[in-house]
Amino acid sequence: MLPPDLAKNHFVQSFGWAETFCYNLCWHFCRSCAVVLNRMITLFGPPEKVEPSLLEKLKSSVSKTKAALSETVDTIFQGERKIDPALLKELETALLSADLGVKPTREILEAVREKMNRNALSDAAQLKREIKFHIVRILSANSETAAAAPPVVTQNGTGPRVIFVVGVNGAGKTTSIGKLANRLRQEGLRVVLCAADTFRAAAIEQLEIWAQRNGIEVIKQKFGSDPAAVVYDAVTAAQARGADAVIVDTAGRLHTKSNLMAELEKMKRTAAKVIPGAPHDILLVLDATTGQNGLAQAREFTSTVGVTGIILTKLDGTAKGGIVVAISRELGLPIRFVGTGEQINDMVPFDPQTYADSLFD
């Protein structure tokens, strides 16, 4: 038998060991419960938000055009109807209503007629494939140009790339600049905005809002200042800061206003004095809902200031999304980006095959 003092010490030590054991046991049990709980939340909780694919975004944007075109083709073939001259007339109406343009429509109809004469087309699915093939062919003729000269290629090596964004008021120019800046920032590029639209009330303030959303700098002067002077300040500042790109917001000009076009030419010369070869891109923002009027704008801008690519906005608000094909076919201009909504990420690079698939699949 242990002496009382030793027995007491033994009891205390034993009790302390038991207390430690119980604590450790409870801690490991609770930790295991937390792990299981987290797994259950992961397995059965709300799924994480997944960004829609390019095809899904374009499908959503051209849904009205698809309804006017693809569903019209389905209606034409109701009742197992065969392809005949009357059907071709209905198809012509559908293509023109979607604003594909006279020349692309004529090319598609001639190809369909030729295959019809050889009995190579017999149903709606085959007809859709034929139309898709020619849409992709027309758009791909200029897509190589866009791929070879994207708005910003690499990080600053020889100076910032200068991008002019032009277009009429209301086309979505400032919004497109904000979205483009966001895309470039996501690619790890340093972007500076230039508020050279000094004629429209609140234009500078709107661009500042987009700059704040993107966390980037905007170079500006007071309302009514010389736009060319703002361009000079912005390009010089971007060069000094080692920026990769300068995106220049220009005044919303009517394509029939020669004095405004002359102002744009002055801005181009100013940029070239600071960085030889600037501006490297002139992107024309077109509102898809304007249809053939947008094509007229593109013609004038191209002939006057040398547009290098198109940003097409509000495609989700029109049944005339075929204007994409008309612009590419008649002007030889690549569609660089398409606006697919109102959020900062709602602008996607244009892809001919994806666009054609979104119309018919």
Side-chain angles (χ1 to χ4, degrees):
M1 186 173 179
L2 293 172
D5 291 343
L6 292 177
K8 181 179 179 182
N9 290 337
H10 179 73
F11 175 80
V12 171
Q13 291 173 1
S14 298
F15 181 80
W17 172 86
E19 184 181 47
T20 302
F21 173 78
C22 291
Y23 173 82
N24 289 335
L25 180 64
C26 291
W27 185 85
H28 285 291
F29 175 76
C30 293
R31 186 172 183 271
S32 298
C33 289
V35 171
V36 172
L37 182 60
N38 285 335
R39 287 176 178 171
M40 290 179 65
I41 291 174
T42 302
L43 290 172
F44 303 109
E48 294 183 2
K49 184 179 179 180
V50 179
E51 286 294 322
S53 66
L54 171 60
L55 178 59
E56 290 170 337
K57 284 189 173 184
L58 277 178
K59 274 187 175 181
S60 175
S61 295
V62 300
S63 59
K64 293 184 180 180
T65 305
K66 179 177 181 178
L69 185 57
S70 177
E71 295 174 13
T72 299
V73 174
D74 290 332
T75 302
I76 290 174
F77 277 96
Q78 283 182 349
E80 298 183 356
R81 181 179 173 187
K82 300 296 182 182
I83 299 180
D84 55 25
L87 181 146
L88 290 179
K89 186 64 178 177
E90 293 179 43
L91 177 60
E92 179 182 18
T93 301
L95 294 174
L96 291 174
S97 296
D99 253 350
L100 263 76
V102 175
K103 291 181 180 179
T105 297
R106 186 185 301 124
E107 292 175 11
I108 292 172
L109 290 176
E110 288 175 355
V112 169
R113 188 177 292 108
E114 189 271 333
K115 287 201 170 184
M116 180 187 71
N117 293 336
R118 294 190 288 108
N119 297 318
L121 291 177
S122 59
D123 57 32
Q126 292 177 342
L127 180 58
K128 287 181 180 180
R129 283 197 295 271
E130 185 68 15
I131 296 173
K132 278 175 56 176
F133 171 79
H134 287 284
I135 288 176
V136 172
R137 176 183 59 79
I138 293 170
L139 294 173
S140 296
N142 300 303
S143 62
E144 294 181 0
T145 303
V152 175
V153 182
T154 58
Q155 292 186 333
N156 191 334
T158 58
R161 193 173 186 88
V162 181
I163 306 167
F164 277 28
V165 181
V166 302
V168 301
N169 282 334
K173 210 165 54 276
T174 306
T175 299
S176 297
I177 289 172
K179 293 177 180 179
L180 178 58
N182 175 63
R183 288 195 63 87
L184 299 182
R185 280 187 63 256
Q186 289 178 344
E187 295 172 9
L189 299 170
R190 292 162 294 180
V191 183
V192 171
L193 299 186
C194 172
D197 182 359
T198 60
F199 299 116
R200 181 174 64 88
I204 298 173
E205 289 78 3
Q206 289 176 3
L207 196 65
E208 283 182 307
I209 292 172
W210 279 107
Q212 291 170 5
R213 291 177 182 175
N214 282 294
I216 58 179
E217 184 180 9
V218 56
I219 305 299
K220 62 179 181 177
Q221 291 188 15
K222 64 181 181 179
F223 176 77
S225 298
D226 179 7
V230 186
V231 170
Y232 180 85
D233 287 350
V235 175
T236 302
Q239 195 173 41
R241 290 163 175 70
D244 301 300
V246 184
I247 307 178
V248 180
D249 185 17
T250 63
R253 55 200 75 235
L254 292 173
H255 56 283
T256 55
K257 298 295 185 181
S258 59
N259 59 324
L260 291 176
M261 288 296 185
E263 184 64 47
L264 187 53
E265 284 293 331
K266 179 182 176 183
M267 294 162 62
K268 289 171 59 180
R269 291 193 301 270
T270 300
K273 288 179 182 178
V274 182
I275 300 178
H280 306 95
D281 293 277
I282 301 178
L283 302 181
L284 171 62
V285 178
L286 286 180
D287 179 349
T289 63
T290 60
Q292 291 298 313
N293 186 49
L295 184 57
Q297 294 174 23
R299 286 196 193 99
E300 185 65 29
F301 274 99
T302 301
S303 63
T304 305
V305 297
V307 174
T308 61
I310 301 291
I311 297 177
L312 197 63
T313 65
K314 307 179 187 179
L315 193 60
D316 54 335
T318 180
K320 297 183 177 294
I323 192 64
V324 171
V325 182
I327 292 171
S328 184
R329 173 63 181 81
E330 296 193 25
L331 300 177
L333 287 174
I335 310 297
R336 294 285 185 85
F337 296 98
V338 175
T340 58
E342 296 298 325
Q343 302 304 312
I344 195 169
N345 292 315
D346 290 339
M347 187 169 74
V348 296
F350 182 77
D351 177 71
Q353 186 66 57
T354 305
Y355 169 78
D357 290 342
S358 67
L359 285 176
F360 292 99
D361 294 346

